[in-house]
Amino acid sequence: MHSVKRYYDHILLVMGNHELHLINEFEKKLYGDSMTRLKPMKEKAERIVGVTCLDGSVVDINGIKYEGAGMWHDFSYGTSLGYSKSFLYDLWLKNMKKSDSDLIFPRFTRDIVEDFFKAEL
């Protein structure tokens, strides 16, 4: 991050699915679950002056507002098209990469997905 910071005054980060991966037993023991892993990553990045993690938040840089959030979604777009949350969840789970479902803990269930959108880091 410091090497990129040499070229830019501001760096905006948005966490994605790979930041949730716990790739070995050490990480599983250290963090316990994938959401717990995000907080220290965010804190470490934001200790660098000019680095901001966008997590459902807004930052104003020189009069321009930037908004960002992780790649997960709450299915609201699909429900606005008439699909049920249950159908959309099943479709999402079926199409989620195998590596994601094997590396994100706890394993996703309907309740965990819904709780994910209510949680704050």
Side-chain angles (χ1 to χ4, degrees):
M1 185 71 62
H2 288 286
S3 62
V4 174
K5 187 68 178 92
R6 292 185 312 205
Y7 302 104
Y8 301 98
D9 293 330
H10 302 281
I11 297 174
L12 305 177
L13 299 176
V14 177
M15 302 296 188
N17 57 319
H18 293 162
E19 283 71 38
L20 295 172
H21 289 182
L22 300 179
I23 61 171
N24 55 44
E25 290 304 316
F26 174 78
E27 286 187 352
K28 289 177 194 173
K29 190 177 283 190
L30 179 64
Y31 299 111
D33 66 71
S34 293
M35 293 306 292
T36 302
R37 183 173 190 254
L38 291 181
K39 188 173 182 178
M41 292 172 68
K42 182 178 176 180
E43 289 170 352
K44 184 176 182 178
E46 289 189 331
R47 281 196 295 264
I48 303 169
V49 175
V51 175
T52 304
C53 290
L54 296 175
D55 186 24
S57 54
V58 179
V59 64
D60 186 307
I61 301 172
N62 300 325
I64 300 172
K65 292 185 183 196
Y66 298 87
E67 299 179 42
M71 50 69 68
W72 302 101
H73 54 85
D74 65 0
F75 306 118
S76 58
Y77 178 71
T79 57
S80 74
L81 297 176
Y83 296 102
S84 72
K85 275 193 175 185
S86 180
F87 171 80
L88 293 167
Y89 171 81
D90 290 340
L91 183 65
W92 173 75
L93 192 60
K94 177 182 172 190
N95 290 296
M96 188 169 68
K97 286 184 173 183
K98 181 80 171 137
S99 63
D100 279 348
S101 61
D102 288 343
L103 298 173
I104 297 174
F105 297 93
R107 302 265 191 241
F108 282 113
T109 64
R110 281 183 177 87
D111 290 340
I112 288 172
V113 170
E114 288 187 9
D115 287 347
F116 178 84
F117 298 106
K118 297 174 189 169
E120 291 186 33
L121 295 177

